[in-house]
Amino acid sequence: MATIGIFDSGSGGLSVYREIVKLLPYERYVYFADNAHCPYGEKSVEFIQDRARAITDLLLGRGADIIVVACNTATAAAIATLREAYPEVPFVGMEPAVKPAALGTKSGVIGVLATAGTLKGSKYLKTKGRFEEDVCIVEHVGVGFVELVENGILEGPEAFETVRASLQPLLDAGADRIVLGCTHYPFLRPVIEAIAGPGVQVIDPAPAVARQTVRLLEKDCVQLDEGPFHIELLSSGAPDSLNRIFTLL
Ligand code: DGL
């Protein structure tokens, strides 16, 4: 049995856990929410790198064989330094799914919702550069989305108003594909889809990240045994939000 360590600034990474556990139901999971420091979106790269190292140490201490950085912002800021600092540890990271959106768009416009940190990241900028000759890429920070999810507000007028404010500019620009570039945002997907309407496809990279996790585990020859379901939920702040979202799953 493998131990899969997963972390995020908060509960958002559970949207990635949800996809991994579909493919690997019998592994042991340790999930860490750094909610005492959430949101990461506007924090400095150095701060996030320090947190990512501390959390990696903690997850390795709990026996993690692989670490899923279930946070686009932390991936953008820290995954390269993590891979350098822990060369023996397999890391899986997140990246906004620009490619499937660019290949699928009919209108020629794709919208990316992410945090400021992710949109500034060199990996995202490079990917964007590869596709922006062929399609128009419009971006917006999902202002207040992380706070909605952390507070368990996944529907109702406040959720609709907050989501609309960041999504509408992308729809007005003609986007027919909306890329969810932050792991908190899938929990708002029903609201996003209701506002965007049926002509717009919402794209979440979590299923692809789950497949990549399976590939890396198999490559490392970890036994994929049957066994009892096991997850440990840890957080640096109050556990309420994490427990609330986990109960939802
Ligand atoms: N869930 C995170 C992400 O994917 C972080 C959001 C935040 O803390 O700002 O980017």
Side-chain angles (χ1 to χ4, degrees):
M1 182 169 57
T3 299
I4 301 172
I6 305 177
F7 76 90
D8 178 40
S9 64
S11 313
L14 288 176
S15 68
V16 183
Y17 159 77
R18 158 173 83 181
E19 297 301 327
I20 300 174
V21 79
K22 278 183 199 164
L23 305 181
L24 299 169
Y26 305 118
E27 306 311 314
R28 204 177 147 255
Y29 290 87
V30 186
Y31 183 94
F32 186 87
D34 195 14
N35 55 356
H37 304 102
C38 184
Y40 276 180
E42 307 277 344
K43 300 259 191 323
S44 73
V45 165
E46 294 72 25
F47 178 85
I48 298 170
Q49 287 179 347
D50 284 349
R51 292 305 303 153
R53 263 194 303 270
I55 297 165
T56 296
D57 286 338
L58 183 144
L59 293 173
L60 293 175
R62 301 259 168 181
D65 300 296
I66 184 168
I67 293 183
V68 181
V69 184
C71 174
N72 291 262
T73 315
T75 301
I79 203 159
T81 55
L82 288 176
R83 287 190 171 125
E84 211 176 276
Y86 306 86
E88 73 291 356
V89 178
F91 286 96
V92 183
M94 306 294 306
E95 207 197 325
V98 170
K99 185 177 176 186
L103 297 178
T105 179
K106 308 250 177 335
S107 67
V109 183
I110 70 170
V112 180
L113 287 169
T115 68
T118 298
L119 296 176
K120 277 190 301 217
S122 60
K123 198 143 181 245
Y124 170 71
L125 291 175
K126 215 164 128 194
T127 308
K128 184 178 154 187
R130 263 175 53 210
F131 291 98
E132 74 189 341
E133 267 185 22
D134 304 320
V135 295
C136 170
I137 303 176
V138 285
E139 296 159 351
H140 210 288
V141 171
V143 180
F145 290 22
V146 171
E147 290 78 359
L148 283 177
V149 174
E150 289 296 315
N151 291 317
I153 305 166
L154 307 182
E155 54 187 16
E158 191 185 341
F160 268 82
E161 245 172 70
T162 305
V163 169
R164 193 185 298 281
S166 295
L167 178 60
Q168 198 63 50
L170 306 184
L171 301 174
D172 290 345
D176 68 347
R177 296 290 183 276
I178 299 293
V179 176
L180 302 184
C182 168
T183 56
H184 280 76
Y185 301 175
F187 291 113
L188 293 165
R189 187 174 187 147
V191 177
I192 294 169
E193 285 179 338
I195 295 170
V200 175
Q201 217 180 80
V202 174
I203 302 178
D204 173 12
V209 169
R211 289 193 294 275
Q212 174 65 0
T213 306
V214 173
R215 274 194 293 270
L216 277 188
L217 274 178
E218 283 172 349
K219 211 172 84 193
D220 279 29
C221 300
V222 177
Q223 200 85 45
L224 304 177
D225 293 340
E226 283 203 25
F229 170 78
H230 191 290
I231 180 162
E232 195 178 356
L233 292 175
L234 307 168
S235 57
S236 54
D240 317 24
S241 148
L242 191 57
N243 290 337
R244 196 168 33 228
I245 301 284
F246 188 72
T247 309
L248 264 182
L249 301 182

